[in-house]
Structures are given as structure tokens and as C-alpha cells.
Amino acid sequence: LAPLAPNPSAGEARSVLSLARAASVTAEVVDVLGRRVALIHEGAVRAGTYSLRVSANDLPAGLYLVRDSDGRG
């Protein structure tokens, strides 16, 4: 998962996800306490490169992280 751009953002930001093989992927926005505040994607993804859109429009001002997992732990 590439860094979000633009960063910081008060609107929409994008990241690039690249997979060498198919996987079940979860990409989410979490606050500094690790609580999920937005889900970007959850489910099966084929190998390839994908653009992920993250909207901060509904989030209060603050520090957020994007966390991704491929289900392998």
C-alpha cells in the first residue's frame, strides 16, 4: 500500500495497492486508538495494481492511519 496523497487532506486522498497474487484484502482507516472509522475495501482482489479512494469529508479533524491486511496475519 503506497502512502496517501495528498497528505494531509481535508477531502479526498488516494493510495495505490499492488498485489503480486490474488488475496482477500481489508483496507481501513483507523484513528490513533486503532478504532476503524472507515472501510475502504474488504474482499477478494485479483493480482494487479488498484487505486483506492479515501474520503475524509465525514471525519472530524485529526490524525488517521490507513491499515491494510491480506488475511495472512
Side-chain angles (χ1 to χ4, degrees), residues 1-17 27-29 38-41 50-59 62 64-66:
L1 188 65
L4 288 176
N7 186 2
S9 177
E12 185 176 290
R14 293 195 179 268
S15 182
V16 175
L17 173 68
E28 59 191 351
V29 178
L39 180 64
I40 303 166
H41 179 84
Y50 300 89
S51 177
L52 300 177
R53 183 180 66 85
V54 179
S55 176
N57 292 328
D58 297 328
L59 298 175
Y64 298 96
L65 306 169
V66 174

Side-chain angles (χ1 to χ4, degrees), residues 34-49:
R35 299 176 297 201
R36 179 191 287 181
V37 296
L39 180 64
I40 303 166
H41 179 84
E42 187 170 51
V45 179
R46 293 182 178 160
T49 301

Side-chain angles (χ1 to χ4, degrees), residues 8-35:
S9 177
E12 185 176 290
R14 293 195 179 268
S15 182
V16 175
L17 173 68
S18 295
L19 297 172
R21 61 179 176 261
S24 178
V25 173
T26 300
E28 59 191 351
V29 178
V30 298
D31 65 14
V32 294
L33 298 176
R35 299 176 297 201

